[in-house]
Structures are given as C-alpha cells and as structure tokens.
Amino acid sequence: MKIYIQARGSYETLLNLSTWADLNDIERIGLPDHYIVGRQRHNKDNSSPALDLLTAIAGLVRDTEKMVYSILVSPITFRHPSVLVKMASTINVMAPNRFRLGVGTGWLEIEHELFGIPFPDLKTRFEMLEESLIYIREALSGNNQGFKGEHYQLEKFPVEPAALSEIPIIIGGGGKVKTPTLAGKYSDEFNIYAGPKATLDNSIKLFKTVASENGRNEKALEITTACPPVVGLTKESVDNSLITAAKALIQPEDEIAKNWKERSYLYGTPEDVVKTLSMWQEVGINAVYLQLLDQEPSKRDESVEVIRKAINLL
C-alpha cells in the first residue's frame, strides 16, 4: 500500500509540500481541480483563494526535481479536450513522466453557476466525459485517426507532441456503474472514493471486468483511493484531529466520527486504521491519496506516521 498526498493551497504551500513529501519518500501529489474551494462552497461571499491547478503544476514540475503530480480530477465542463491535450502534453515536455491527467464529469454546481460555466445534466456530462476520453487518447496517441462525436470532433491530422505513453489518464469518482466502466475502458488509474467494502468490491470488479473485455492489461492499471485521515498516534491526538476536521469540513464532530467509521475511512490510531487498509488491500486498492486537512508540520508528520505504522501491521 503506497501513500500519496492530496492537497490544495497557495503556490508556496504546494511547493513547500512538495519538498516535504520528497524528503518523506512520498512520490506523488494529487491536486483537486476546483475554482471554488473551502467555505466559499457554502457562502459565495466568504472568499477563499483558488488556483488553476493545471497552470500551477506547470510551475511545480519546473520548481521540483522528481515529484509526480496528479490532477484529481479536472471537470470536462471547464476545458475543451483539445485544451487538456495541449496543457498535458506541454507539461510533459517541461518534465517528462511527471504529470497524470485526471478527467471527470464535474460535480460542484456552485463553481459553474458563479463563473457562468454551463453545467449540463449528469447524463450529458457523462456523454461529454466519454467522448473527451476518446478524443484525448486519440490526440495524444499520434495515430492520426481523428474522432467525431456529438459533443467533440477531431479532424484527421498529426497532433504533436504525441505523448500518450508518458501521460497516464485518471478517472475517479464514486459512481457504481458508469465511472468504473469508463475507467476500465480508458484509464490507467482508477481513483475510487473510499467507502464500505461491498461498494468498493463491486466497483473494482466491474472495472477489472471491463478492462479485460477491452483487451487491457489489468496488471498495468493502478487502483487508488482518496480519504481525509482523522488519525493520531494516541486517542487524545485522534480527538484533536477530529476537532480540526470539523472546522475544515464545517461538520459536527460526532457526525464526522460516525460517518468516517461507517464509510470505512481512515479514523483512529494505527491499530484502528490497519483494519481499513487491510480491507482496501483485499479489494485491490494499491495506494491512497491522503487528503490532509491540517498542513501544520507536526500534524502532517503524525498523520503519515500513523498510516505507515498501520501499513507495517498489515
């Protein structure tokens, strides 16, 4: 079980996090692509800075030496697939094999509403997502085959740089049928929301079945999850993490404690956490992006230490 990090913040925060992650043998950082973050999701007048994270990654790959960055995930409503193709291939030219392109339907309606970005119904967004995945893979492949869909069209002409083999595609989410089906067809990494064993098992089995039916090498595909850890080395530290989580997520402490346990999220001491990690491993999850809710150095270090101790208990 590998540990990755998922975080957002100022450019300086992300750069400092990259340095810390590198020193702690964490090889990958996931960045959630949102234009509205934090408390502004609940109150549009409660401003909170939000970067364009694909642009930020272009800077980060030049300001670091080896960190790999995943975009988790970019709503197809934000950018035409041609723009994603050019941004991804440009970042790859700047730092080969250090960018992973995640694409999804988008779900946060308020950011579309406030910026005036069209937000079609979910069925249409899934249609757009599948067409965009075909388009992106074709454009990055250098095969010169083109693509004609209802929402997107790509003429037959050489698209350069062609770097599909160097830019893994990520599909993520908690959908029970469409998401794992699309991931099985088109993704190199399936990033599934953490949840109860039965839910994970069904989705991952479908993902693997679809991948096999489409002639893909299952062993070359990665299955990851993401989860905000509410953990500590002691019960007192867990309680402090719970207070931090409640403030960050604007939820009551008792509600978080209940939900985290019911959803099989990372909660408690290493001895508690190992149960969740064992279940993840059993259903086929290879790695977890820790969605750090507290960037304070000592708490950040403790969260990773808890997960590593739990991994050693597996």
Side-chain angles (χ1 to χ4, degrees):
M1 181 71 62
K2 289 188 176 183
I3 296 174
Y4 305 139
I5 298 296
Q6 181 174 334
R8 60 175 174 81
S10 69
Y11 187 82
E12 197 63 31
T13 295
L14 297 175
L15 185 56
N16 290 338
L17 181 68
S18 299
T19 301
W20 168 82
D22 192 25
L23 291 172
N24 284 273
D25 297 320
I26 295 170
E27 64 190 51
R28 194 183 303 175
I29 295 176
L31 304 178
D33 194 22
H34 287 293
Y35 285 174
I36 296 291
V37 298
R39 294 178 182 273
Q40 198 164 24
R41 291 180 176 180
H42 305 276
N43 180 352
K44 68 178 182 180
D45 296 319
N46 198 343
S47 62
S48 184
L51 303 180
D52 181 291
L53 288 171
L54 273 88
T55 305
I57 287 173
L60 290 166
V61 296
R62 299 294 287 180
D63 284 343
T64 59
E65 294 184 359
K66 60 182 181 180
M67 187 58 58
V68 176
Y69 296 94
S70 303
I71 201 76
L72 296 175
V73 291
S74 182
I76 193 53
T77 49
F78 279 15
R79 306 174 186 88
H80 191 280
S82 63
V83 178
L84 287 172
V85 164
K86 285 303 179 184
M87 294 185 82
S89 59
T90 299
I91 292 170
N92 189 66
V93 167
M94 298 165 71
N97 297 292
R98 290 178 54 202
F99 175 65
R100 303 173 72 87
L101 175 60
V103 191
T105 59
W107 60 271
L108 190 57
E109 189 167 3
I110 187 173
E111 63 189 347
H112 294 77
E113 176 186 334
L114 295 180
F115 281 98
I117 301 171
F119 190 66
D121 60 71
L122 185 58
K123 178 178 180 295
T124 301
R125 298 200 314 276
F126 264 111
E127 292 171 358
M128 294 168 63
L129 175 59
E130 180 159 21
E131 286 192 14
S132 72
L133 290 164
I134 299 170
Y135 182 116
I136 289 166
R137 295 189 69 89
E138 176 56 40
L140 288 174
S141 70
N143 290 336
N144 192 20
Q145 295 298 309
F147 171 71
K148 291 190 181 299
E150 181 179 345
H151 303 281
Y152 305 113
Q153 295 80 40
L154 175 70
E155 290 298 320
K156 294 183 179 181
F157 74 104
V159 180
E160 294 288 344
L164 182 61
S165 64
E166 297 182 359
I167 305 173
I169 304 298
I170 304 171
I171 296 175
K176 296 180 180 179
V177 178
K178 290 185 179 179
T179 301
T181 298
L182 292 179
K185 287 182 179 180
Y186 306 112
S187 77
D188 302 289
E189 176 183 341
F190 179 27
N191 181 246
I192 185 170
Y193 291 165
K197 181 179 180 180
T199 301
L200 295 177
D201 197 35
N202 290 338
S203 293
I204 290 171
K205 283 180 178 176
L206 177 57
F207 162 73
K208 289 182 176 180
T209 298
V210 173
S212 177
E213 290 173 349
N214 282 267
R216 310 191 68 209
N217 180 6
E218 290 180 43
K219 294 182 179 179
L221 306 179
E222 187 174 10
I223 303 171
T224 61
T225 190
C227 183
V230 179
V231 299
L233 293 170
T234 65
K235 184 181 182 304
E236 180 183 5
S237 188
V238 173
D239 290 341
N240 290 334
S241 293
L242 184 57
I243 293 170
T244 298
K247 291 178 180 177
L249 300 172
I250 319 175
Q251 295 179 26
E253 293 172 29
D254 58 348
E255 183 177 307
I256 290 176
K258 177 177 180 290
N259 289 341
W260 261 234
K261 293 173 184 178
E262 289 181 351
R263 297 172 185 172
S264 298
Y265 285 5
L266 299 173
Y267 186 91
T269 62
E271 292 73 20
D272 300 315
V273 169
V274 70
K275 299 171 187 175
T276 296
L277 296 183
S278 178
M279 182 271 284
W280 287 353
Q281 194 173 66
E282 187 177 338
V283 299
I285 291 172
N286 313 118
V288 56
Y289 289 87
L290 299 180
Q291 299 170 317
L292 297 177
L293 299 174
D294 191 343
Q295 290 288 337
E296 196 277 319
S298 64
K299 189 57 190 174
R300 183 176 62 191
D301 290 345
E302 184 177 10
S303 293
V304 171
E305 184 179 356
V306 168
I307 308 306
R308 284 189 166 148
K309 283 183 178 294
I311 289 172
N312 290 335
L313 293 172
L314 287 171

